[in-house]
Amino acid sequence: MLDTHVLLHLANASILTGIMLSAMTRWGFFRYWWVLTKFAITMSQLYAAIFLLSPRLTALAEGVHGSDPALLVATVLMASAIAFQAWLSVAKPWKRTPWAEARLDVPLPPRWVIRLTMLAPVLDLLLAEAVFGHAAPLFTTLTAIGYPIWRGIRLAGHAGG
């Protein structure tokens, strides 16, 4: 229950906030190695949880398997990865990537974008529970894809005009 009704939605919200913080701040997606590293770790954790941990947790909950030492190892690895990501966020240890733009003055996003970023996971949870019966990160996906496109069009319009 915890895995499918709580953790799944929290994972989607975590990814959305990470993507949107990259999109809305001077750190960007590809400007710094530490941001790319955090993104790679997050995606690895997400897929490991979906394809490796979730089936084992389900089997354990249903009594199909007894205690599984792999679950303990996976839990320690996941917690260590989260701790490492927190350290990366504070220390920001590595330099900029070769793809980094020289410009670091990223305009602040409008308030409606920040509100939508906070509201999208809640809407997805309500949609999943009320309509689909399973996770459906529709608003999260639209927000994560839509904002960078909207921002790029807006910045191109300001540069051309």
Side-chain angles (χ1 to χ4, degrees):
M1 286 287 284
L2 184 66
D3 187 40
T4 57
H5 291 284
V6 177
L7 296 178
L8 180 67
H9 299 291
L10 291 175
N12 287 335
S14 174
I15 287 179
L16 174 67
T17 56
I19 288 172
M20 293 305 288
L21 282 170
S22 290
M24 294 190 288
T25 65
R26 69 183 183 114
W27 304 116
F29 292 105
F30 305 109
R31 292 183 187 152
Y32 293 89
W33 286 111
W34 65 270
V35 175
L36 281 172
T37 302
K38 284 182 61 175
F39 181 71
I41 291 170
T42 299
M43 294 307 289
S44 299
Q45 285 180 299
L46 177 69
Y47 287 105
I50 291 170
F51 296 112
L52 301 175
L53 292 179
S54 188
R56 288 193 166 163
L57 286 171
T58 301
L60 186 64
E62 293 172 350
V64 175
H65 292 292
S67 64
D68 189 354
L71 282 176
L72 178 61
V73 171
T75 301
V76 169
L77 288 174
M78 291 288 231
S80 299
I82 290 170
F84 181 63
Q85 286 176 303
W87 176 81
L88 286 173
S89 294
V90 173
K92 298 171 185 55
W94 304 306
K95 298 183 187 270
R96 294 172 63 177
T97 66
W99 317 287
E101 306 152 5
R103 191 179 139 217
L104 288 179
D105 58 332
V106 176
L108 291 175
R111 289 180 187 244
W112 66 266
V113 172
I114 296 168
R115 288 184 186 122
L116 180 62
T117 299
M118 293 186 299
L119 186 61
V122 175
L123 293 174
D124 283 337
L125 174 63
L126 294 174
L127 183 69
E129 294 299 322
V131 177
F132 295 118
H134 57 80
L138 174 68
F139 296 106
T140 296
T141 303
L142 290 174
T143 303
I145 293 171
Y147 174 71
I149 292 170
W150 175 83
R151 182 174 155 229
I153 291 169
R154 187 164 179 235
L155 290 176
H158 285 279

